[in-house]
Amino acid sequence: MDDVRPLLFFDSGVGGLSVLAPTRALLPRAPLVYVADSAGFPYGTRSEGEIAARVPALLGRLAERYRPRLIVIACNTASTIALAAVRAALDVPIVGTVPAIRPAALLSETRTIGVLGTEATVRQPYVTDLAERFAADCTVIRHGSAALVALAEAELAGSPGDDAAFAAVLAGLLDQPGGEHIDVIVNACTHFPLVTHRLAAAAPRALRFVDGGDGIARRVAVLTARTEWPDRPVEGRAVFTGAADPRLAGALARHGLTAIETL
Ligand code: DGL
């Protein structure tokens, strides 16, 4: 029997589309619900306490309402702070999104890695732990940017920022002591892969960017390997917890999310 229970992707805004896209490419018939917590956006400037209280409660409500087969927390900020609490609270498989420090360490020739995330993510012990476990022989330089989150939202809404704004974000990493050696940058916020092309174009030199999207897609495929997906793609739904910017409709549709609703 077909299993119409959806995969539920969760982020504060449109960033999680960078995780949804590779999963959709791998599992084109999987029903999708994409939830943007627009009422709580942005997460990156919030405190640990606020995220820890908000995310498990909201995901509990969403799990009841949409009965997902699996939830992807497509947000580094929510995952590095609340992943364990969400897993403990819900009886649904949960896949988190955490900074791709391991793949970055495998790629870096200079052994100097930049981690670009939200302010909340880059200060997490979770990131320190990943760096110690997977990049012990690398210098790991971190920078948190709320501006880049806003630039990514604007890009998808059809109001792209100028190159100087992207260059200023990169300078936050590259101008730190040792930053001149960075050769690989971890996009440690799911909004940032949406604008990697803008960052690369504004960069003063060639840099490589890595994120966890493809790895998460493979993980979701493994966890749902026995699922009988519907024969044909089902209309994807985008759900906003507050106001939805109507200018995002085109970007959502390009990701198969043609039904837009407010929670
Ligand atoms: N996309 C989110 C992340 O991966 C957070 C963006 C925000 O709301 O600040 O961290």
Side-chain angles (χ1 to χ4, degrees):
M1 211 177 79
D2 287 355
D3 193 336
V4 294
R5 282 181 300 159
L7 302 177
L8 190 150
F9 287 76
F10 176 81
D11 184 34
S12 58
V14 293
L17 294 176
S18 72
V19 181
L20 178 140
T23 308
R24 183 166 166 251
L26 210 54
L27 304 170
R29 289 181 291 119
L32 303 175
V33 173
Y34 182 86
V35 181
D37 183 13
S38 50
F41 176 88
Y43 279 2
T45 50
R46 291 184 181 274
S47 70
E48 282 72 0
E50 285 176 291
I51 302 288
R54 184 175 184 89
V55 171
L58 181 53
L59 281 172
R61 272 176 67 203
L62 292 167
E64 257 179 38
R65 186 173 176 121
Y66 296 104
R67 300 274 165 212
R69 150 163 296 279
L70 178 150
I71 293 175
V72 180
I73 304 182
C75 173
N76 289 262
T77 310
S79 299
T80 55
I81 294 172
L83 182 57
V86 172
R87 283 196 171 129
L90 300 187
D91 195 16
V92 181
I94 311 286
V95 177
T97 306
V98 300
I101 289 175
R102 187 181 192 184
L106 293 172
L107 275 180
S108 176
E109 286 167 17
T110 60
R111 311 315 288 154
T112 308
I113 295 167
V115 176
L116 196 54
T118 64
E119 287 137 299
T121 294
V122 298
R123 67 172 181 255
Q124 292 313 308
Y126 203 120
V127 177
T128 309
D129 182 56
L130 288 173
E132 282 169 1
R133 282 166 61 203
F134 300 118
D137 67 330
C138 293
T139 301
V140 178
I141 298 174
R142 311 179 193 190
H143 177 58
S145 175
L148 192 53
V149 175
L151 283 164
E153 290 274 333
E155 185 92 13
L156 264 64
S159 306
D162 55 24
D163 281 350
F166 288 93
V169 172
L170 279 177
L173 264 184
L174 303 179
D175 292 355
Q176 289 186 45
E180 67 277 16
H181 301 301
I182 291 173
D183 63 345
V184 181
I185 292 180
V186 179
N187 277 328
C189 167
T190 54
H191 278 76
F192 301 170
L194 301 171
V195 287
T196 296
H197 58 295
R198 299 298 315 274
L199 289 167
R205 56 192 163 81
L207 294 163
R208 298 177 83 168
F209 293 85
V210 298
D211 65 78
D214 289 335
I216 289 168
R218 288 193 296 273
R219 181 78 189 131
V220 173
V222 167
L223 290 173
T224 58
R226 296 216 189 105
T227 306
E228 302 271 343
W229 300 114
D231 287 342
R232 267 169 267 127
V234 184
E235 182 176 45
R237 297 156 92 170
V239 179
F240 289 79
T241 58
D245 184 341
R247 297 173 309 159
L248 294 171
L252 294 169
R254 285 194 294 282
H255 289 82
L257 306 170
T258 43
I260 300 180
E261 57 195 70
T262 302
L263 192 66

